[in-house]
Amino acid sequence: MIKITKFGGSSVSSAGQFKKIKGIIESDPARQFVVVSAIGKRDSRDSKVTDLLYLANAHLQYRVSCDDLLGTVGQRFCEIARDLGLTYPISQEFGRFHHRAVAGDYTPEFIVSRGEYFTARLMAENLGFPFVDATEVIAFAPDGQIDMEKTAAQVQKAIEVHGRFVLPGFYGAAPDGEVRLLDRGGGDITGAILAQCVGADLYENWTDVSGFLSADPRIVDNPKSIARITYAELRELSYMGASVLHEEAIFPVKEAGIPLAIKNTNRPQDRGTIISEFTDPTTDEPIITGIAGKRDFVAVHIKQNHMSNKVGIVRRALTIFERYRVSIEHIPTGIDSFAVVVQGDDVKDCLYSIVADINTEIEPDEIEIVDHIALISTVGRNMPHRPGVSGRLFGELGRAGINIRMIAQGSEELDIIVGVDDADFEKAISVIYHGFIDSDENVITVAELEQSEQCRQKKNRGF
């Protein structure tokens, strides 16, 4: 069995965390490939090394001294090396980097990547593993996307030479050999790419939480953790604001059919969350898997009598939004009206121009702007197997005095999205959580699932 283990910034923030990682790796011989982020915060007053490097680079761009910033970064690395008794000459190596960075010898992306680079250098010695630089493995194509064919070939070569290894996340090499960064949180993506290239049996993402939570702990006290979730459910929850790992980290392992585990570096004994393409239930399962949401959406309501008899009016409206490069979230429709729901930040500088174009090109009877809307997504792969979930959800919100401004549901019935006033956002999430996830009724039995699946297959055969 092969496991890819990726450790986030909080997991590598101190010598003590390095020791925990060594125990985790040594406890399972399947953990042969390790990806690390740059060292992160030790506490709320601390700074992430990547943030400090970004700030140092900004100072360099404006010809302002960044010696104190780079000195702080170097000190963090030196403290870890000293406390662990490592022999890697981090003081001299970082000193050379510091000197050349100030002299203008490095690109901004190279400077920022050194957080992961030096963390991986120290982690490799800590574990007794070979170090492989990400520029030797992760290959970018000319269009800025990952060249998976070249990357896979380079991964196999690294395995042939080194066997197991530690790899820094977050960066790779452009076709000209220069360092190229992934998006922030790109260490998760690096781990997923490596898992796909190696053909791993499991991709473990180690962080500071014991799996994926069913609701935001800032809103709901001690929300339940999710034992198992599908990639489709995770995609829905992540898009609506639930964040444990980088969204783009899902796709490489999903395409390869590799399960992903979210684990807690500080509590390795905890079960965590398993994310996989399919679930094969052998025990009772939850009906609602999780709840997530975002504030500050805007709905542009377009009304016109006999709209249902006019062809192309929705398309023409969407073309206007596309002209301003605004992504559409939802399009609730009626007989003589429809609404275009977008994120408020996306239209803060162009909303009135969009409305003016709609008036000119579509000539509706009325346009109404409704802002300060929050969207809340209630997600569960088992909702289609239990009738009445939607009605119960709306009833819970109604009894709590929460006005529903919008309703949407995907064709696969994986989620129910409701729009409420921003002021009701946290209350609505709490109501849904306690009405469903925290309820003894949020359970569907294996027998119910099997019966529902048999009915679905019978119905499909009827077509």
Side-chain angles (χ1 to χ4, degrees), residues 150-169:
K150 185 176 179 180
T151 296
Q154 293 181 161
V155 166
Q156 292 305 315
K157 182 179 179 180
I159 293 172
E160 292 170 7
V161 173
H162 302 287
R164 61 188 186 177
F165 55 78
V166 173
L167 182 74

Side-chain angles (χ1 to χ4, degrees), residues 221-237:
D221 290 335
N222 299 314
K224 294 181 180 179
S225 61
I226 299 170
R228 183 176 291 274
I229 188 172
T230 64
Y231 283 114
E233 290 174 299
L234 179 65
R235 171 78 170 143
E236 294 288 341
L237 290 170

Side-chain angles (χ1 to χ4, degrees), residues 113-138:
S113 73
R114 294 307 88 179
E116 276 74 12
Y117 174 85
F118 285 118
T119 302
R121 278 289 193 182
L122 298 179
M123 185 60 70
E125 184 179 349
N126 178 59
L127 299 177
F129 280 27
F131 166 84
V132 173
D133 195 355
T135 56
E136 300 171 14
V137 172
I138 306 298

